[in-house]
Amino acid sequence: MQALHQKVKELLESGKVQVVIGYGEGSGGKSRPVFIRSAADAAKLVWDDRCHQNLAVYINKPEIKKMGKAAIVAHPAAVRTIVQMIAEHQLSSGAIIVLAVENDTLEELTDNSSLEVYAQSHPVLFPPFVVKEIEDIAALSAAERFEFWQNELEKCFKCYACRAACPLCYCERCIVECNQPQWVSVPSHAQGNFEWHMNRAMHLAGRCVSCGSCTIACPAGIPIGLLTIEASRIARTEFGFEPGISCDASSAMSSFRNEDKETFIQ
Amino acid sequence: MKSITHDNLLKLLAGLADEGKIVYAPVRKGQKVFFAPVQNMQPVVFDYIQTTESPKLVLFPRYEPLISFEYQGKEVKVDDPSAAAPAERVLFGSRPCDAMALKRLAEFFDRDIPDALIAGRQKALTVISMSCIKADADCFCTSTGSSPGDICGSDILLTPVENNGYAAEILTGKGASIADRCSSLFSEIPEIRKEQYLAKVEKAFSHEEVRKKLSHAFDHDIWNGASLRCIGCGACAFVCPMCSCFDIQEEGTAKKGSRVRCWDSCGFSLFTLHTSGHNPRHNQSERWRQRVMHKFSYQPEAAELTGCVGCGRCSRACPSDMNLKEQLQDIAANVETV
Amino acid sequence: MENTFEPKIVAYVCNWCTYAGADLTGTSRIKYAANVRIVRFPCTGRIDYNLLLKALALGADGIIVSGCHPNDCHYTSGNFHARRRWIVFKQMMEYMGYDMRRVKFSWVSAAEGAKWADIVNTTVREIRELGPAQRIQNEEFRMMNSEG
Ligand code: SF4
Ligand code: SF4
Ligand code: SF4
Ligand code: SF4
Ligand code: FES
């Protein structure tokens, strides 16, 4: 943490950046996102095992962009997110300084290639609450899985916190807000919730970096990230597509290979 | 005064369900506690500080048809749900802040053009609340006009006392009708001082003072800093017992369909988007300001209704730890009185 | 006992191959089950997975999605894109516990009238055995929390 404070102090003092997006002390022992703008405040940053939220969600927030050049404290999943954002042209190369943190290590990444090298050498470890659920579900039969998701999705009241917490759910107008045609039924009944989550998963296939931020954000306690993580798992197994490791990768769902497997097509 | 044992309380609730009333009670789903209709009382939980989802859904459901139509041959059958008699409901396990919220929510929907659906549901609703013997750091009911043993809005208020029993305050005619019908389940005890059992919730700010300060704070720069970490996710509004924003949607096919009211949030970026493309609340800071102002300034000014009861749900649900209590303390301390 | 259940099948097909193939089935007077409602699209690339969800929600018991064989798409690559989506969609549906034996994907060219008849007939037979589709609790306004 000392090294992080020192680094942030330098960055702000030298004028290399005007704001640092990081974690700070929150209420009731929680951590919270903070935006450090002066070297004197650098010591307010914390980095420990409470810091799960994916801060990349703040990079393109207009109020923060207005502050000037930013640096961001990023865990391995957030580094992947940033790489994916660059690949999807949501962030230009070198636009942000990434302070990659993991356990006690800190690395400053400023260009695409260092980001890629870091992302490729740091596998994303699912937060513990996700790993357990992934294993639990794998053990279920199809009928049990149907039951499981019906029960989980029944809790969803469509606050869209999962979407807001995800840095890769950046569409200004989400498919749920389009009504010509209205693909996704707005009320939070079973059908509407099923359509909503199926669409979110399909839209994150090959893009979800498995950070778990959506699961943390869901106030109803639904392990909702499992769906997007599964969608990315499918893209990985079927198309060999790993999100967030290459700044100029194409998108899994808008590209194809002639040899994509098609065993189920008659 | 009356008291009831834990076992008799469960019998009372089961009896109400058997009578055909819809009994909403707190049940655990995963890690969280929700209000859901129960038939038997086995899944009902008692060990929560506050439920995750508020009980507002008994008055103001997540979604509901306002009017429906269906072609039957060449005829169109139109269904107006407000014409039907609402089901008799019992809400059990609401906290005093929740009971107050439901009362205020009903008043809110009764202003200007009374909302028949919500008024009807309130008439048919009996509220059996449970005082708080535990609170956490996110609770601030005492700053918004409620308190851990407040009777406002409840028909019966139970306070856990010794020996696995509850002191029962029968507060309204609706409460009395239940207590009378099931009088054998209650016993008489000498008057007790319930305060000794209640949680202590320090007053964090005064909502009157906040209201005064907010009336000059529209252009204050406090909103920019305060809302930086808000991601506009809407979790706060969806768990809040007093948030009343809704969206009207059309559902169905050419043959059959409904106009549906669904929960919404003023924190969403599209909430105020005009057809022209103009958005009067362009930034999250403006939307955060709206949330606070509506609850602590506009509504109190317009109708003497504070739009918050201090249940703390929004703070517990917020993925960015916005913490409303802290923000209001900040306003009370740092916005100048003009 | 004889199974009298007549499943409703929706077929989403591309204009250039499968639709023409189905046409050929008709003109060659090959008989096939009448349970299928064909919806024609310019290309499989245009067949949004949401169309499948909507069909299931609105009462279909089974779905056939069909278009040109790989490398034969009128628009060169529409079917390759579609195939990627089907691969993910199918597995996602299975992950959510949906019985994907109800949804058939196929390539049927304009010359394969007999294949089309065969696909429709097998699909109808299989789905008749599976029975009516399990709905995602689709009564429109079933109150959450199973009230009423
Ligand atoms: S955050 Fe949870 S409750 Fe909100 S829309 Fe997502 S899954 Fe539903
Ligand atoms: S969808 Fe994937 S990338 Fe987005 S918040 Fe959830 S886990 Fe993270
Ligand atoms: S829950 Fe928190 S982050 Fe989400 S809209 Fe409310 S205050 Fe903002
Ligand atoms: S604003 Fe927050 S504390 Fe106030 S009533 Fe709503 S959820 Fe409870
Ligand atoms: S035109 Fe037939 S699949 Fe593209």
Side-chain angles (χ1 to χ4, degrees):
Chain A
M1 214 136 85
Q2 205 88 66
L4 178 63
H5 295 163
Q6 192 52 40
K7 174 90 283 166
V8 166
K9 221 170 129 213
E10 278 165 34
L11 285 172
L12 287 163
E13 261 167 5
S14 65
K16 267 203 202 152
V17 304
Q18 283 72 50
V19 56
V20 178
I21 307 169
Y23 304 96
E25 260 332 305
S27 65
K30 290 178 273 191
S31 73
R32 68 162 55 143
V34 291
F35 308 92
I36 304 292
R37 303 178 72 183
S38 82
D41 288 338
K44 289 190 179 156
L45 289 169
V46 302
W47 164 245
D48 52 38
D49 53 13
R50 296 169 299 166
C51 305
H52 287 304
Q53 192 181 358
N54 189 337
L55 299 180
V57 74
Y58 293 105
I59 295 176
N60 282 331
K61 187 169 172 167
E63 293 90 324
I64 290 159
K65 273 177 110 167
K66 245 188 268 158
M67 291 177 181
K69 179 148 178 171
I72 184 170
V73 178
H75 51 44
V79 174
R80 287 198 178 206
T81 309
I82 289 163
V83 172
Q84 188 64 22
M85 286 169 76
I86 296 172
E88 295 178 12
H89 310 289
Q90 298 305 306
L91 189 62
S92 40
S93 353
I96 194 160
I97 294 181
V98 178
L99 303 173
V101 285
E102 193 185 35
N103 304 325
D104 295 333
T105 63
L106 167 69
E107 279 182 53
E108 181 179 345
L109 313 169
T110 49
D111 57 17
N112 287 3
S113 62
S114 61
L115 280 165
E116 288 172 346
V117 169
Y118 189 93
Q120 285 160 19
S121 57
H122 290 72
V124 172
L125 300 173
F126 298 146
F129 49 85
V130 179
V131 179
K132 167 106 179 43
E133 302 268 6
I134 293 178
E135 287 167 2
D136 289 353
I137 295 191
L140 300 180
S141 71
E144 287 167 338
R145 272 202 307 277
F146 188 78
E147 191 61 29
F148 173 87
W149 283 112
Q150 291 290 299
N151 286 337
E152 287 299 333
L153 296 189
E154 191 205 41
K155 297 185 249 174
C156 172
F157 37 46
K158 282 206 174 148
C159 64
Y160 303 129
C162 44
R163 175 184 72 179
C166 176
L168 293 164
C169 260
Y170 49 69
C171 295
E172 277 182 22
R173 183 164 272 201
C174 174
I175 186 167
V176 298
E177 277 131 7
C178 298
N179 56 7
Q180 285 184 338
Q182 182 104 45
W183 287 124
V184 180
S185 207
V186 178
S188 52
H189 48 52
Q191 180 66 24
N193 286 353
F194 184 80
E195 287 168 353
W196 156 229
H197 290 295
M198 185 55 90
N199 271 285
R200 203 173 101 81
M202 289 297 288
H203 289 191
L204 279 147
R207 303 178 56 237
C208 167
V209 298
S210 317
C211 69
S213 236
C214 50
T215 302
I216 305 174
C218 175
I222 305 167
I224 203 64
L226 292 179
L227 294 176
T228 48
I229 289 175
E230 172 67 8
S232 266
R233 187 201 60 75
I234 298 168
R236 183 180 303 118
T237 340
E238 298 290 339
F239 320 131
F241 200 95
E242 185 65 39
I245 55 168
S246 155
C247 290
D248 45 30
S250 55
S251 135
M253 296 309 279
S254 57
S255 58
F256 63 87
R257 291 180 312 194
N258 280 22
E259 60 276 15
D260 284 341
K261 278 195 278 4
E262 50 164 275
T263 46
F264 61 90
I265 305 178
Q266 297 174 17
Chain B
M1 78 184 302
K2 286 194 189 311
S3 82
I4 187 166
T5 63
H6 188 72
D7 288 345
N8 281 350
L9 172 59
L10 296 180
K11 274 187 210 144
L12 176 80
L13 296 171
L16 293 169
D18 287 344
E19 279 173 23
K21 295 195 163 56
I22 301 169
V23 178
Y24 277 80
V27 296
R28 186 162 278 122
K29 298 184 185 173
Q31 305 292 313
K32 312 275 176 172
V33 180
F34 294 79
F35 283 98
V38 285
Q39 261 308 321
N40 75 51
M41 301 306 135
Q42 191 255 327
V44 179
V45 294
F46 291 80
D47 60 340
Y48 53 92
I49 287 185
Q50 189 46 287
T51 59
T52 305
E53 190 179 13
S54 85
K56 83 173 160 194
L57 77 173
V58 300
L59 291 186
F60 174 35
R62 293 172 173 184
Y63 62 91
E64 65 176 323
L66 299 177
I67 193 152
S68 307
F69 77 92
E70 185 175 0
Y71 270 93
Q72 294 180 334
K74 285 203 169 124
E75 298 293 301
V76 182
K77 188 180 145 248
V78 175
D79 180 40
D80 171 6
S82 69
E88 289 280 328
R89 287 192 180 80
V90 174
L91 171 66
F92 169 72
S94 45
R95 296 298 184 196
C97 57
D98 294 335
M100 179 178 276
L102 291 180
K103 182 165 174 285
R104 288 189 193 164
L105 194 66
E107 282 169 30
F108 171 79
F109 277 106
D110 211 37
R111 284 181 57 214
D112 302 338
I113 302 168
D115 188 302
L117 283 163
I118 288 176
R121 284 196 204 100
Q122 202 213 10
K123 254 207 207 109
L125 176 70
T126 308
V127 180
I128 305 180
S129 302
M130 186 70 84
S131 308
C132 302
I133 52 170
K134 269 194 265 163
D136 68 13
D138 293 324
C139 294
F140 58 97
C141 53
T142 48
S143 311
T144 54
S146 181
S147 70
D150 197 278
I151 57 171
C152 172
S154 298
D155 297 302
I156 296 179
L157 178 63
L158 303 172
T159 304
V161 294
E162 290 89 2
N163 302 328
N164 218 358
Y166 307 89
E169 293 170 84
I170 313 297
L171 299 164
T172 64
K174 279 184 201 166
S177 98
I178 290 183
D180 292 345
R181 264 183 301 136
C182 309
S183 57
S184 63
L185 296 173
F186 290 87
S187 40
E188 280 304 322
I189 53 163
E191 209 61 33
I192 56 154
R193 259 193 71 248
K194 71 176 175 185
E195 280 66 33
Q196 58 181 312
Y197 301 99
L198 299 177
K200 304 277 170 292
V201 177
E202 295 296 334
K203 196 164 170 165
F205 59 87
S206 128
H207 65 102
E208 293 90 351
E209 188 193 348
V210 165
R211 167 176 167 180
K212 247 185 257 137
K213 294 197 163 180
L214 286 180
S215 63
H216 306 284
F218 193 82
D219 293 319
H220 204 285
D221 56 13
I222 201 161
W223 306 114
N224 289 320
S227 65
L228 272 182
R229 65 180 183 275
C230 171
I231 54 175
C233 69
C236 48
F238 282 65
V239 296
C240 176
M242 289 219 58
C243 273
S244 49
C245 290
F246 58 79
D247 182 20
I248 305 266
Q249 289 283 339
E250 248 77 89
E251 275 240 310
T253 61
K255 293 199 182 110
K256 184 178 176 206
S258 297
R259 173 164 294 174
V260 195
R261 163 160 68 192
C262 313
W263 287 358
D264 203 347
S265 165
C266 64
F268 291 155
S269 58
L270 298 190
F271 187 77
T272 44
L273 181 65
H274 295 184
T275 319
S276 66
H278 171 66
N279 192 341
R281 293 184 209 136
H282 192 68
N283 290 317
Q284 199 56 36
S285 59
E286 291 151 353
R287 304 193 275 269
W288 171 254
R289 174 179 65 197
Q290 167 64 21
R291 179 170 163 80
V292 175
M293 286 290 217
H294 187 238
K295 289 178 179 296
F296 292 92
S297 175
Y298 309 152
Q299 248 177 261
E301 300 289 346
E304 291 301 327
L305 273 177
T306 301
C308 167
V309 290
C311 70
R313 284 188 180 88
C314 53
S315 307
R316 294 182 202 100
C318 177
S320 308
D321 190 30
M322 285 293 280
N323 203 308
L324 187 59
K325 176 169 108 183
E326 184 188 311
Q327 301 256 7
L328 291 162
Q329 284 174 309
D330 196 28
I331 290 167
N334 295 325
V335 173
E336 316 68 34
T337 323
V338 184
Chain C
M1 215 177 74
E2 207 198 331
N3 189 343
T4 54
F5 166 57
E6 287 300 339
K8 279 188 210 142
I9 315 278
V10 176
Y12 293 128
V13 304
C14 94
N15 175 47
W16 301 97
C17 290
T18 305
Y19 192 79
D23 206 26
L24 180 67
T25 322
T27 50
S28 338
R29 311 212 172 264
I30 304 174
K31 280 220 154 116
Y32 67 96
N35 304 51
V36 58
R37 278 82 162 161
I38 296 184
V39 189
R40 177 162 63 147
F41 287 83
C43 172
T44 50
R46 171 64 184 82
I47 304 175
D48 196 309
Y49 56 84
N50 279 300
L51 289 161
L52 279 68
L53 294 181
K54 288 291 183 207
L56 292 171
L58 293 173
D61 298 297
I63 298 182
I64 300 172
V65 185
S66 184
C68 315
H69 284 267
N71 294 318
D72 288 348
C73 172
H74 190 76
Y75 309 97
T76 318
S77 58
N79 52 1
F80 287 127
H81 286 288
R83 183 171 64 185
R84 277 224 157 167
R85 285 206 298 270
W86 300 347
I87 291 172
V88 179
F89 178 72
K90 177 170 179 288
Q91 293 189 42
M92 277 315 298
M93 289 290 274
E94 282 164 353
Y95 188 67
M96 293 181 85
Y98 197 83
D99 186 350
M100 283 302 276
R101 285 177 301 177
R102 293 182 184 279
V103 184
K104 306 280 178 201
F105 299 90
S106 63
W107 308 128
V108 173
S109 77
E112 294 176 314
K115 181 177 178 185
W116 176 250
D118 186 45
I119 283 176
V120 172
N121 289 335
T122 1
T123 307
V124 171
R125 194 177 59 240
E126 284 177 27
I127 290 179
R128 186 171 288 139
E129 264 158 40
L130 290 173
Q134 122 214 63
R135 301 265 168 256
I136 299 158
Q137 293 162 351
N138 187 36
E139 311 94 90
E140 262 139 325
F141 302 112
R142 194 185 71 90
M143 281 298 175
M144 238 34 198
N145 304 319
S146 68
E147 172 189 316

